[in-house]
């Protein structure tokens, strides 16, 4: 259970904002951070001293356990601004619930939901001038928790830090993505930590992804680790396949991250009357559908890019092309989701949360 000793948020403001040093038309994703960050320590069996303070480097022992055993989890979410400067979060309850699930799997103490939401709202409101208006612009929010106890003995840490950083990001459209279907490497395994947003899941996929990049692909679609037979997810995005007019995606499992974008797309598609199947899809079925002409679209879904269009997929040295189509589900679902996030449409789902 998550215990907290002192709930009041302590706030230390910057003397002068750095905002005027930033070129908002030339941002590299996740490199520029706002004036403030949130920090809360876990010590003596309880979270304590939730604090908002100036963003900056911190001192840590090189023997802190996170550096040796990778006890680290994170989240990715965004804050959006509408045309009249109102600020919104998108389903923040889902992110705190998920980081706590990830933490549990990594033996990190859970963080109190109310303290998280209070800190997040306060932090976003303090630095809201860093959110640019305009479709696609947003503030990327990065909550994370790390093991800070000093000592290289292989056991769970008794001390942690829970932090939130915020980075202004621009709309980015890098074009459609070429993906390679995994035949050898795995991102996660049954019983493992694939369903947790654990830092190490990313570290483990950089090498196979770099090999795929040498072959001209940007990302990998991971398959099940036992047989490499079923399509799972892209490692930063969940994946959707449209065969005829049915939208298919893999069921979440202990190998697949339960994406907020994935579940939102599923509910939106249902709302639109699109047929949905949440089931295993084999690589063989995908290729057969491509050969018959019934495979119409593949796209990824995740907070960073919302929806990523996939133009090609590679498997066993063959590259299959997916030409652009009329009435694309990806295009229409992306627009509907972004219109909802940017307060351009009604929100029948109750997903949008205003920051005041
Ligand atoms: C974060 C993440 C996603 C996307 O999740 P969203 O909640 O939609 O951003 C998909 N797969 C993995 C492995 C992830 O870490």
């Amino acid at each position: 259970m998550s215990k907290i000793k002192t709930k009041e948020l302590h706030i230390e403001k910057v003397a002068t904002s750095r905002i005027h040093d930033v070129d908002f038309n030339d941002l590299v994703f996740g490199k520029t951070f706002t004036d403030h960050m949130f920090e809360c320590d876990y010590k003596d069996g309880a979270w304590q001293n939730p604090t908002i303070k100036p963003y900056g480097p911190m001192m840590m022992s090189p023997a802190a356990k996170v550096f040796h055993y990778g006890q680290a989890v994170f989240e990715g979410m965004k804050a959006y601004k509408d045309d009249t400067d109102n600020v919104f979060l998108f389903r923040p309850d889902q992110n705190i619930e998920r980081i706590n699930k990830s933490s549990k799997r990594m033996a990190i103490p859970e963080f109190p939901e109310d303290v998280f939401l209070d800190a997040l709202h306060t932090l976003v409101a303090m630095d809201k001038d860093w959110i640019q208006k305009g479709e696609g612009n947003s503030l990327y929010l990065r909550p994370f928790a790390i093991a800070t106890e000093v000592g290289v003995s292989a056991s769970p840490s008794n001390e942690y830090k829970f932090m939130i950083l915020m980075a202004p990001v621009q709309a980015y459209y890098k074009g459609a993505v070429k993906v390679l279907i995994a035949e050898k490497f795995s991102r996660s395994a049954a019983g493992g930590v694939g369903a947790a947003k654990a830092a190490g899941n990313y570290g483990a996929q950089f090498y196979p992804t770099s090999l795929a990049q040498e072959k001209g692909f940007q990302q990998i679609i991971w398959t099940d680790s036992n047989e490499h037979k079923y399509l799972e997810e892209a490692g930063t995005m969940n994946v959707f396949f449209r065969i005829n007019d049915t939208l298919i995606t893999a069921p979440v499992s202990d190998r697949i991250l339960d994406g907020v974008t994935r579940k939102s797309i599923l509910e939106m598609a249902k709302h639109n009357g699109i047929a949905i199947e949440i089931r295993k899809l084999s690589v063989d079925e995908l290729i057969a559908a491509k050969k018959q002409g019934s495979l119409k679209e593949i796209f990824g879904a995740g907070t960073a890019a919302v929806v990523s269009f996939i133009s090609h997929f590679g498997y066993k040295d063959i590259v299959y092309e997916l030409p652009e189509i009329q009435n694309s589900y990806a295009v229409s679902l992306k627009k509907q989701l972004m219109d909802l996030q940017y307060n351009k449409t009604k929100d029948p789902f109750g997903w949008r949360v205003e920051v005041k």
Side-chain angles (χ1 to χ4, degrees), residues 74-77 95 98 140 187 194 196-198 201-202 205 233-238 255-263 301-304 306:
F74 69 97
E75 269 304 319
M77 52 200 297
N95 297 94
R98 187 169 67 190
Y140 183 78
R187 184 189 85 92
K197 236 173 153 67
N201 285 337
Y202 278 69
Q205 60 184 341
E233 67 151 303
T236 58
M237 307 186 292
N238 296 105
R255 295 189 302 268
I256 299 181
L257 200 282
D258 187 3
V260 179
T261 318
R262 173 188 177 277
K263 66 174 88 164
T303 296
V306 192

Side-chain angles (χ1 to χ4, degrees), residues 40-42 47 71 107-109 146-148 156-161:
C40 187
D41 290 315
Y42 185 89
W47 291 102
Q71 247 190 316
I108 297 171
I146 50 170
T148 51
S157 177
N158 285 313
E159 293 173 11
Y160 297 87
K161 258 187 205 304

